Amino acid sequence: MKLPSSGKIKLQGFNNLTKSLSFCIYDVCYAQTPKQKAEYIEYIDEQYNADRLTEILTEACEIIGATVLNVARQDYEPQGASVTILVAEEPIKDSDNVDTTEKPGPLPDSVVAHLDKSHICVHTYPEAHPDDGICTFRADIEVSTCGIISPLKALNYLIHKLDSDIVTVDYRVRGFTRDVNGVKYYIDHDINSIQNFISPDIREQYQLVDVNVYQENIFHTKMMLNDVDLNTYLFGTTTADLNEQEIEDITERLYKEMSEIFYGRNMPDMSGK
């Protein structure tokens, strides 16, 4: 079903289409010793604690046009955090009746924001390889909206705010809505690639690949950084502390990790072993 030439549909009532944007953001590093691995996990836990995640989600809600009604958050021991934010599409009239007190969230290592007929959530997963020093931090983000709110507005902001070596993005429009004549519309905006909504400065930094199912309104984009400075991936050390063979071995391990995440499959060692 093509959209009207004006690009706007006159609906019978509420827009019943559900637009879901979900993506995984990966940050990869090398931590050589058990002490460095523990320090990396501690660093990630501090970098993405409840306070900072609340700030990121609140800003994302503002970007997509939602009003925050209530915030509940909790940091956990030894690590992890939860944040839940209740928001509405429109500014509320009776703000005095809104509960603004902080309360514990439901799950560790997660952030959830509930919108009026919509939601935004983030879950974090830090982990370290037991043998080869590779550490990977993953943040799963989902923004689902109905009505006039578009989750695509938050895409560039969230990629910028989180350290992103690899990003896998999914966007899907579900359900249908009706115009005043009863005709069903299964999408209410033009899109042929998520890349169209990614800013030029981000696109220049990444290798991007699309896998789309147009007839189902399903769009998928994978992103991996083009240029890698090894020093930015070393935690607790620098290339000045390594010999040439160590630099080569670590570079191969990091590239293998990033390639496996990007292509979604295990790969043989670069050395051919």
Side-chain angles (χ1 to χ4, degrees):
M1 177 69 67
K2 291 186 177 181
L3 300 179
S5 58
S6 65
K8 297 182 179 179
I9 306 170
K10 191 172 182 180
L11 302 177
Q12 283 188 329
F14 183 79
N15 188 336
N16 290 313
L17 291 170
T18 299
K19 305 160 192 173
S20 296
L21 176 71
S22 60
F23 50 103
C24 296
I25 288 178
Y26 297 87
D27 175 58
V28 181
C29 89
Y30 177 81
Q32 187 173 21
T33 67
K35 182 175 182 294
Q36 289 172 343
K37 291 179 184 178
E39 289 174 347
Y40 172 76
I41 298 297
E42 182 179 352
Y43 162 78
I44 287 294
D45 193 49
E46 176 62 27
Q47 184 75 0
Y48 299 102
N49 60 25
D51 285 343
R52 180 160 188 258
L53 290 172
T54 298
E55 292 175 2
I56 292 173
L57 272 191
T58 300
E59 183 66 23
C61 290
E62 292 179 3
I63 288 171
I64 65 176
T67 302
V68 175
L69 302 180
N70 179 61
V71 177
R73 60 190 176 190
Q74 179 69 54
D75 282 306
Y76 291 85
E77 293 293 342
Q79 62 192 47
S82 298
V83 179
T84 300
I85 302 178
L86 179 67
V87 303
E89 283 192 10
E90 303 289 343
I92 55 173
K93 296 179 179 179
D94 191 5
S95 58
D96 292 337
N97 292 330
V98 175
D99 181 6
T100 58
T101 59
E102 295 181 0
K103 301 175 183 177
L107 295 172
D109 288 320
S110 65
V111 180
V112 182
H114 299 283
L115 283 68
D116 182 13
K117 303 182 179 68
S118 312
H119 73 273
I120 177 172
C121 60
V122 178
H123 306 278
T124 62
Y125 304 90
E127 67 95 22
H129 191 288
D131 300 318
D132 68 1
I134 297 296
C135 299
T136 303
F137 169 73
R138 182 177 107 237
D140 287 355
I141 304 171
E142 180 174 339
V143 186
S144 291
T145 68
C146 295
I148 61 175
I149 288 180
S150 173
L152 290 166
K153 292 181 179 179
L155 178 59
N156 292 305
Y157 169 76
L158 291 169
I159 292 176
H160 271 298
K161 291 298 289 186
L162 301 171
D163 293 329
S164 310
D165 296 317
I166 305 102
V167 185
T168 61
V169 192
D170 293 284
Y171 179 66
R172 182 175 185 181
V173 180
R174 301 194 304 268
F176 64 86
T177 194
R178 298 179 190 269
D179 67 13
V180 291
N181 297 314
V183 177
K184 297 184 183 71
Y185 285 81
Y186 296 91
I187 193 167
D188 63 354
H189 60 290
D190 292 325
I191 178 174
N192 56 36
S193 173
I194 296 171
Q195 294 189 41
N196 297 341
F197 299 86
I198 299 175
S199 62
D201 66 310
I202 294 178
R203 291 201 306 268
E204 290 174 0
Q205 298 177 52
Y206 289 86
Q207 172 186 346
L208 299 100
V209 175
D210 278 358
V211 182
N212 301 320
V213 185
Y214 298 108
Q215 66 272 24
E216 300 296 336
N217 292 324
I218 298 174
F219 306 88
H220 177 76
T221 297
K222 299 188 292 187
M223 307 165 55
M224 182 168 69
L225 279 177
N226 290 318
D227 300 318
V228 175
D229 177 3
L230 183 57
N231 275 311
T232 64
Y233 291 85
L234 299 177
F235 193 86
T237 188
T238 68
T239 53
D241 304 317
L242 306 171
N243 59 45
E244 290 186 6
Q245 187 60 52
E246 289 173 326
I247 290 175
E248 181 179 345
D249 289 344
I250 294 170
T251 300
E252 287 182 354
R253 294 179 199 173
L254 287 167
Y255 184 75
K256 181 174 183 286
E257 177 80 358
M258 293 172 66
S259 297
E260 289 182 341
I261 294 170
F262 182 71
Y263 291 107
R265 62 178 182 271
N266 294 318
M267 295 184 174
D269 292 335
M270 300 301 173
S271 61
K273 297 178 182 178

